[in-house]
Amino acid sequence: MMTRRLLQLLIGLAMYGVSLAMFIRAGLGLDPWDVFHQGIAVKTGLSIGTVVVIVSFLVLLLWIPLRQWPGVGTLCNAVLVGVFADIGLALIPAFAHLGGQAGMLAGAILLNGVASACYIGARLGPGARDGLMTGLARRTGWSVRASRTGIEVVVLGAGWLLGGSVGIGTVLYALAIGPLVQLLLPRFTVPEPKERKVRELAAEPAVAAP
């Protein structure tokens, strides 16, 4: 099962990076964290993938006072999403007409939902930003929703001020990603060994008594 979990993790992170590239090529707005990443990229001249990697490791430093510990999935997430975002940007063309932009945006949201369910379902550690949210909630007593909202409002505002892209895509992502991941996550979550054994026993046909 570890082979499956690692493969699912890597595929999920690759799709997540490509979905980020699709959001950018759609040109209709990014999710809050990527508005922040794009804003930094605009100001520094770095590729957005490079910025994603740098910000990921800076966020991991914030885990230290929160007493959060990264898993292998956390470290892979910190590196691979940015790498695949830059690969996606090199391969995916931009669209000049609204129909193509809308189609690209819809595909980006759907792919991002599948990607999130894949890497979360692999159970190899949260992403740096997700861990910051849950760690802050645990240490402060705030709800996870309040922690996430507060963090994303801050990074969205900062990213917008830096020149990141805010638009209808930002709103649609915020509305769609939660329900989409909730729908897909059970299909991608790798069961714990005990849970898997119970499922296998439940699936076995009953044997009639002689």
PDB file of all heavy atoms in Angstrom, residues 89-119:
ATOM      1  N   LEU A  89       3.042  25.812 -17.176  1.00  0.00           N
ATOM      2  CA  LEU A  89       3.059  27.115 -17.842  1.00  0.00           C
ATOM      3  C   LEU A  89       3.859  27.074 -19.139  1.00  0.00           C
ATOM      4  O   LEU A  89       3.564  27.801 -20.092  1.00  0.00           O
ATOM      5  CB  LEU A  89       3.637  28.168 -16.899  1.00  0.00           C
ATOM      6  CG  LEU A  89       2.715  28.605 -15.756  1.00  0.00           C
ATOM      7  CD1 LEU A  89       3.469  29.486 -14.766  1.00  0.00           C
ATOM      8  CD2 LEU A  89       1.496  29.344 -16.302  1.00  0.00           C
ATOM      9  N   ALA A  90       4.872  26.217 -19.184  1.00  0.00           N
ATOM     10  CA  ALA A  90       5.671  26.087 -20.405  1.00  0.00           C
ATOM     11  C   ALA A  90       4.917  25.360 -21.511  1.00  0.00           C
ATOM     12  O   ALA A  90       5.219  25.542 -22.698  1.00  0.00           O
ATOM     13  CB  ALA A  90       6.972  25.356 -20.096  1.00  0.00           C
ATOM     14  N   LEU A  91       3.923  24.557 -21.141  1.00  0.00           N
ATOM     15  CA  LEU A  91       3.227  23.707 -22.124  1.00  0.00           C
ATOM     16  C   LEU A  91       1.830  24.193 -22.474  1.00  0.00           C
ATOM     17  O   LEU A  91       1.332  23.911 -23.571  1.00  0.00           O
ATOM     18  CB  LEU A  91       3.135  22.271 -21.590  1.00  0.00           C
ATOM     19  CG  LEU A  91       4.475  21.545 -21.347  1.00  0.00           C
ATOM     20  CD1 LEU A  91       4.216  20.174 -20.719  1.00  0.00           C
ATOM     21  CD2 LEU A  91       5.254  21.397 -22.650  1.00  0.00           C
ATOM     22  N   ILE A  92       1.160  24.893 -21.563  1.00  0.00           N
ATOM     23  CA  ILE A  92      -0.243  25.274 -21.759  1.00  0.00           C
ATOM     24  C   ILE A  92      -0.315  26.680 -22.344  1.00  0.00           C
ATOM     25  O   ILE A  92       0.241  27.621 -21.770  1.00  0.00           O
ATOM     26  CB  ILE A  92      -1.013  25.216 -20.429  1.00  0.00           C
ATOM     27  CG1 ILE A  92      -0.968  23.791 -19.858  1.00  0.00           C
ATOM     28  CG2 ILE A  92      -2.456  25.663 -20.623  1.00  0.00           C
ATOM     29  CD1 ILE A  92      -1.515  23.697 -18.441  1.00  0.00           C
ATOM     30  N   PRO A  93      -1.004  26.849 -23.463  1.00  0.00           N
ATOM     31  CA  PRO A  93      -1.105  28.188 -24.064  1.00  0.00           C
ATOM     32  C   PRO A  93      -2.131  29.052 -23.341  1.00  0.00           C
ATOM     33  O   PRO A  93      -3.029  28.545 -22.664  1.00  0.00           O
ATOM     34  CB  PRO A  93      -1.571  27.883 -25.496  1.00  0.00           C
ATOM     35  CG  PRO A  93      -2.355  26.612 -25.356  1.00  0.00           C
ATOM     36  CD  PRO A  93      -1.672  25.814 -24.277  1.00  0.00           C
ATOM     37  N   ALA A  94      -1.993  30.355 -23.494  1.00  0.00           N
ATOM     38  CA  ALA A  94      -2.994  31.279 -22.977  1.00  0.00           C
ATOM     39  C   ALA A  94      -4.118  31.425 -23.999  1.00  0.00           C
ATOM     40  O   ALA A  94      -3.923  31.181 -25.192  1.00  0.00           O
ATOM     41  CB  ALA A  94      -2.364  32.636 -22.699  1.00  0.00           C
ATOM     42  N   PHE A  95      -5.311  31.796 -23.529  1.00  0.00           N
ATOM     43  CA  PHE A  95      -6.460  31.983 -24.408  1.00  0.00           C
ATOM     44  C   PHE A  95      -6.828  33.455 -24.456  1.00  0.00           C
ATOM     45  O   PHE A  95      -6.883  34.131 -23.434  1.00  0.00           O
ATOM     46  CB  PHE A  95      -7.654  31.170 -23.921  1.00  0.00           C
ATOM     47  CG  PHE A  95      -7.523  29.694 -24.173  1.00  0.00           C
ATOM     48  CD1 PHE A  95      -6.864  28.873 -23.273  1.00  0.00           C
ATOM     49  CD2 PHE A  95      -8.042  29.134 -25.325  1.00  0.00           C
ATOM     50  CE1 PHE A  95      -6.740  27.515 -23.501  1.00  0.00           C
ATOM     51  CE2 PHE A  95      -7.922  27.776 -25.574  1.00  0.00           C
ATOM     52  CZ  PHE A  95      -7.273  26.961 -24.666  1.00  0.00           C
ATOM     53  N   ALA A  96      -7.104  33.937 -25.668  1.00  0.00           N
ATOM     54  CA  ALA A  96      -7.457  35.342 -25.845  1.00  0.00           C
ATOM     55  C   ALA A  96      -8.965  35.557 -25.834  1.00  0.00           C
ATOM     56  O   ALA A  96      -9.425  36.694 -25.766  1.00  0.00           O
ATOM     57  CB  ALA A  96      -6.870  35.871 -27.160  1.00  0.00           C
ATOM     58  N   HIS A  97      -9.760  34.483 -25.960  1.00  0.00           N
ATOM     59  CA  HIS A  97     -11.218  34.639 -26.007  1.00  0.00           C
ATOM     60  C   HIS A  97     -11.846  34.056 -24.748  1.00  0.00           C
ATOM     61  O   HIS A  97     -11.315  33.121 -24.119  1.00  0.00           O
ATOM     62  CB  HIS A  97     -11.803  33.974 -27.257  1.00  0.00           C
ATOM     63  CG  HIS A  97     -11.399  32.539 -27.436  1.00  0.00           C
ATOM     64  ND1 HIS A  97     -12.108  31.484 -26.884  1.00  0.00           N
ATOM     65  CD2 HIS A  97     -10.354  31.991 -28.094  1.00  0.00           C
ATOM     66  CE1 HIS A  97     -11.530  30.349 -27.219  1.00  0.00           C
ATOM     67  NE2 HIS A  97     -10.457  30.617 -27.948  1.00  0.00           N
ATOM     68  N   LEU A  98     -13.005  34.597 -24.376  1.00  0.00           N
ATOM     69  CA  LEU A  98     -13.629  34.267 -23.098  1.00  0.00           C
ATOM     70  C   LEU A  98     -14.038  32.801 -23.007  1.00  0.00           C
ATOM     71  O   LEU A  98     -13.944  32.199 -21.941  1.00  0.00           O
ATOM     72  CB  LEU A  98     -14.850  35.174 -22.878  1.00  0.00           C
ATOM     73  CG  LEU A  98     -15.563  35.037 -21.526  1.00  0.00           C
ATOM     74  CD1 LEU A  98     -14.600  35.311 -20.375  1.00  0.00           C
ATOM     75  CD2 LEU A  98     -16.765  35.978 -21.457  1.00  0.00           C
ATOM     76  N   GLY A  99     -14.488  32.219 -24.124  1.00  0.00           N
ATOM     77  CA  GLY A  99     -14.903  30.823 -24.090  1.00  0.00           C
ATOM     78  C   GLY A  99     -13.763  29.910 -23.690  1.00  0.00           C
ATOM     79  O   GLY A  99     -13.930  29.013 -22.850  1.00  0.00           O
ATOM     80  N   GLY A 100     -12.595  30.124 -24.282  1.00  0.00           N
ATOM     81  CA  GLY A 100     -11.432  29.325 -23.926  1.00  0.00           C
ATOM     82  C   GLY A 100     -11.001  29.555 -22.498  1.00  0.00           C
ATOM     83  O   GLY A 100     -10.619  28.607 -21.781  1.00  0.00           O
ATOM     84  N   GLN A 101     -11.063  30.802 -22.041  1.00  0.00           N
ATOM     85  CA  GLN A 101     -10.704  31.119 -20.657  1.00  0.00           C
ATOM     86  C   GLN A 101     -11.645  30.438 -19.668  1.00  0.00           C
ATOM     87  O   GLN A 101     -11.211  29.887 -18.660  1.00  0.00           O
ATOM     88  CB  GLN A 101     -10.739  32.636 -20.444  1.00  0.00           C
ATOM     89  CG  GLN A 101      -9.641  33.395 -21.158  1.00  0.00           C
ATOM     90  CD  GLN A 101      -9.806  34.898 -20.997  1.00  0.00           C
ATOM     91  OE1 GLN A 101     -10.772  35.485 -21.486  1.00  0.00           O
ATOM     92  NE2 GLN A 101      -8.870  35.511 -20.303  1.00  0.00           N
ATOM     93  N   ALA A 102     -12.955  30.481 -19.985  1.00  0.00           N
ATOM     94  CA  ALA A 102     -13.938  29.861 -19.083  1.00  0.00           C
ATOM     95  C   ALA A 102     -13.738  28.348 -19.022  1.00  0.00           C
ATOM     96  O   ALA A 102     -13.812  27.742 -17.945  1.00  0.00           O
ATOM     97  CB  ALA A 102     -15.348  30.197 -19.555  1.00  0.00           C
ATOM     98  N   GLY A 103     -13.482  27.734 -20.177  1.00  0.00           N
ATOM     99  CA  GLY A 103     -13.238  26.292 -20.197  1.00  0.00           C
ATOM    100  C   GLY A 103     -11.982  25.924 -19.420  1.00  0.00           C
ATOM    101  O   GLY A 103     -11.961  24.923 -18.690  1.00  0.00           O
ATOM    102  N   MET A 104     -10.928  26.732 -19.569  1.00  0.00           N
ATOM    103  CA  MET A 104      -9.692  26.483 -18.844  1.00  0.00           C
ATOM    104  C   MET A 104      -9.905  26.636 -17.336  1.00  0.00           C
ATOM    105  O   MET A 104      -9.391  25.838 -16.543  1.00  0.00           O
ATOM    106  CB  MET A 104      -8.604  27.449 -19.316  1.00  0.00           C
ATOM    107  CG  MET A 104      -7.243  27.233 -18.689  1.00  0.00           C
ATOM    108  SD  MET A 104      -6.447  25.706 -19.219  1.00  0.00           S
ATOM    109  CE  MET A 104      -5.937  26.171 -20.886  1.00  0.00           C
ATOM    110  N   LEU A 105     -10.689  27.634 -16.943  1.00  0.00           N
ATOM    111  CA  LEU A 105     -10.972  27.841 -15.527  1.00  0.00           C
ATOM    112  C   LEU A 105     -11.738  26.660 -14.942  1.00  0.00           C
ATOM    113  O   LEU A 105     -11.401  26.162 -13.861  1.00  0.00           O
ATOM    114  CB  LEU A 105     -11.772  29.130 -15.333  1.00  0.00           C
ATOM    115  CG  LEU A 105     -12.234  29.422 -13.900  1.00  0.00           C
ATOM    116  CD1 LEU A 105     -11.046  29.594 -12.959  1.00  0.00           C
ATOM    117  CD2 LEU A 105     -13.133  30.655 -13.872  1.00  0.00           C
ATOM    118  N   ALA A 106     -12.772  26.206 -15.651  1.00  0.00           N
ATOM    119  CA  ALA A 106     -13.548  25.070 -15.165  1.00  0.00           C
ATOM    120  C   ALA A 106     -12.671  23.827 -15.036  1.00  0.00           C
ATOM    121  O   ALA A 106     -12.747  23.091 -14.043  1.00  0.00           O
ATOM    122  CB  ALA A 106     -14.724  24.796 -16.116  1.00  0.00           C
ATOM    123  N   GLY A 107     -11.822  23.594 -16.037  1.00  0.00           N
ATOM    124  CA  GLY A 107     -10.912  22.452 -15.973  1.00  0.00           C
ATOM    125  C   GLY A 107      -9.930  22.574 -14.822  1.00  0.00           C
ATOM    126  O   GLY A 107      -9.596  21.576 -14.166  1.00  0.00           O
ATOM    127  N   ALA A 108      -9.467  23.796 -14.557  1.00  0.00           N
ATOM    128  CA  ALA A 108      -8.516  24.017 -13.469  1.00  0.00           C
ATOM    129  C   ALA A 108      -9.143  23.706 -12.118  1.00  0.00           C
ATOM    130  O   ALA A 108      -8.527  23.071 -11.259  1.00  0.00           O
ATOM    131  CB  ALA A 108      -8.014  25.462 -13.499  1.00  0.00           C
ATOM    132  N   ILE A 109     -10.388  24.150 -11.909  1.00  0.00           N
ATOM    133  CA  ILE A 109     -11.062  23.885 -10.637  1.00  0.00           C
ATOM    134  C   ILE A 109     -11.282  22.397 -10.440  1.00  0.00           C
ATOM    135  O   ILE A 109     -11.029  21.845  -9.359  1.00  0.00           O
ATOM    136  CB  ILE A 109     -12.401  24.651 -10.568  1.00  0.00           C
ATOM    137  CG1 ILE A 109     -12.138  26.164 -10.513  1.00  0.00           C
ATOM    138  CG2 ILE A 109     -13.215  24.205  -9.348  1.00  0.00           C
ATOM    139  CD1 ILE A 109     -13.397  27.014 -10.609  1.00  0.00           C
ATOM    140  N   LEU A 110     -11.745  21.719 -11.495  1.00  0.00           N
ATOM    141  CA  LEU A 110     -11.990  20.276 -11.399  1.00  0.00           C
ATOM    142  C   LEU A 110     -10.686  19.520 -11.141  1.00  0.00           C
ATOM    143  O   LEU A 110     -10.628  18.646 -10.255  1.00  0.00           O
ATOM    144  CB  LEU A 110     -12.639  19.779 -12.686  1.00  0.00           C
ATOM    145  CG  LEU A 110     -12.939  18.275 -12.746  1.00  0.00           C
ATOM    146  CD1 LEU A 110     -13.874  17.865 -11.615  1.00  0.00           C
ATOM    147  CD2 LEU A 110     -13.541  17.904 -14.092  1.00  0.00           C
ATOM    148  N   LEU A 111      -9.635  19.846 -11.894  1.00  0.00           N
ATOM    149  CA  LEU A 111      -8.355  19.160 -11.711  1.00  0.00           C
ATOM    150  C   LEU A 111      -7.783  19.427 -10.326  1.00  0.00           C
ATOM    151  O   LEU A 111      -7.212  18.528  -9.692  1.00  0.00           O
ATOM    152  CB  LEU A 111      -7.364  19.605 -12.788  1.00  0.00           C
ATOM    153  CG  LEU A 111      -6.010  18.880 -12.786  1.00  0.00           C
ATOM    154  CD1 LEU A 111      -6.186  17.396 -13.048  1.00  0.00           C
ATOM    155  CD2 LEU A 111      -5.077  19.498 -13.830  1.00  0.00           C
ATOM    156  N   ASN A 112      -7.954  20.649  -9.833  1.00  0.00           N
ATOM    157  CA  ASN A 112      -7.463  20.985  -8.507  1.00  0.00           C
ATOM    158  C   ASN A 112      -8.180  20.180  -7.433  1.00  0.00           C
ATOM    159  O   ASN A 112      -7.565  19.721  -6.460  1.00  0.00           O
ATOM    160  CB  ASN A 112      -7.641  22.489  -8.260  1.00  0.00           C
ATOM    161  CG  ASN A 112      -6.926  22.975  -7.024  1.00  0.00           C
ATOM    162  OD1 ASN A 112      -7.439  22.857  -5.918  1.00  0.00           O
ATOM    163  ND2 ASN A 112      -5.739  23.532  -7.199  1.00  0.00           N
ATOM    164  N   GLY A 113      -9.494  19.975  -7.623  1.00  0.00           N
ATOM    165  CA  GLY A 113     -10.246  19.167  -6.661  1.00  0.00           C
ATOM    166  C   GLY A 113      -9.783  17.721  -6.643  1.00  0.00           C
ATOM    167  O   GLY A 113      -9.600  17.134  -5.574  1.00  0.00           O
ATOM    168  N   VAL A 114      -9.583  17.139  -7.832  1.00  0.00           N
ATOM    169  CA  VAL A 114      -9.078  15.758  -7.918  1.00  0.00           C
ATOM    170  C   VAL A 114      -7.682  15.674  -7.311  1.00  0.00           C
ATOM    171  O   VAL A 114      -7.368  14.745  -6.555  1.00  0.00           O
ATOM    172  CB  VAL A 114      -9.062  15.285  -9.385  1.00  0.00           C
ATOM    173  CG1 VAL A 114      -8.404  13.908  -9.487  1.00  0.00           C
ATOM    174  CG2 VAL A 114     -10.470  15.246  -9.953  1.00  0.00           C
ATOM    175  N   ALA A 115      -6.838  16.644  -7.636  1.00  0.00           N
ATOM    176  CA  ALA A 115      -5.463  16.654  -7.126  1.00  0.00           C
ATOM    177  C   ALA A 115      -5.440  16.745  -5.605  1.00  0.00           C
ATOM    178  O   ALA A 115      -4.685  16.036  -4.936  1.00  0.00           O
ATOM    179  CB  ALA A 115      -4.692  17.827  -7.731  1.00  0.00           C
ATOM    180  N   SER A 116      -6.281  17.604  -5.045  1.00  0.00           N
ATOM    181  CA  SER A 116      -6.338  17.759  -3.592  1.00  0.00           C
ATOM    182  C   SER A 116      -6.778  16.463  -2.928  1.00  0.00           C
ATOM    183  O   SER A 116      -6.194  16.037  -1.921  1.00  0.00           O
ATOM    184  CB  SER A 116      -7.296  18.892  -3.219  1.00  0.00           C
ATOM    185  OG  SER A 116      -6.860  20.134  -3.742  1.00  0.00           O
ATOM    186  N   ALA A 117      -7.806  15.824  -3.487  1.00  0.00           N
ATOM    187  CA  ALA A 117      -8.275  14.558  -2.927  1.00  0.00           C
ATOM    188  C   ALA A 117      -7.201  13.483  -3.009  1.00  0.00           C
ATOM    189  O   ALA A 117      -7.040  12.673  -2.092  1.00  0.00           O
ATOM    190  CB  ALA A 117      -9.541  14.103  -3.658  1.00  0.00           C
ATOM    191  N   CYS A 118      -6.422  13.489  -4.094  1.00  0.00           N
ATOM    192  CA  CYS A 118      -5.348  12.504  -4.260  1.00  0.00           C
ATOM    193  C   CYS A 118      -4.271  12.656  -3.199  1.00  0.00           C
ATOM    194  O   CYS A 118      -3.919  11.697  -2.521  1.00  0.00           O
ATOM    195  CB  CYS A 118      -4.713  12.641  -5.649  1.00  0.00           C
ATOM    196  SG  CYS A 118      -5.561  11.726  -6.939  1.00  0.00           S
ATOM    197  N   TYR A 119      -3.740  13.875  -3.064  1.00  0.00           N
ATOM    198  CA  TYR A 119      -2.600  13.993  -2.146  1.00  0.00           C
ATOM    199  C   TYR A 119      -3.033  13.966  -0.690  1.00  0.00           C
ATOM    200  O   TYR A 119      -2.307  13.452   0.166  1.00  0.00           O
ATOM    201  CB  TYR A 119      -1.733  15.200  -2.489  1.00  0.00           C
ATOM    202  CG  TYR A 119      -2.111  16.533  -1.891  1.00  0.00           C
ATOM    203  CD1 TYR A 119      -1.846  16.828  -0.552  1.00  0.00           C
ATOM    204  CD2 TYR A 119      -2.687  17.534  -2.668  1.00  0.00           C
ATOM    205  CE1 TYR A 119      -2.173  18.052  -0.006  1.00  0.00           C
ATOM    206  CE2 TYR A 119      -3.006  18.770  -2.139  1.00  0.00           C
ATOM    207  CZ  TYR A 119      -2.757  19.025  -0.809  1.00  0.00           C
ATOM    208  OH  TYR A 119      -3.079  20.237  -0.268  1.00  0.00           O
TER     209      TYR A 119
END
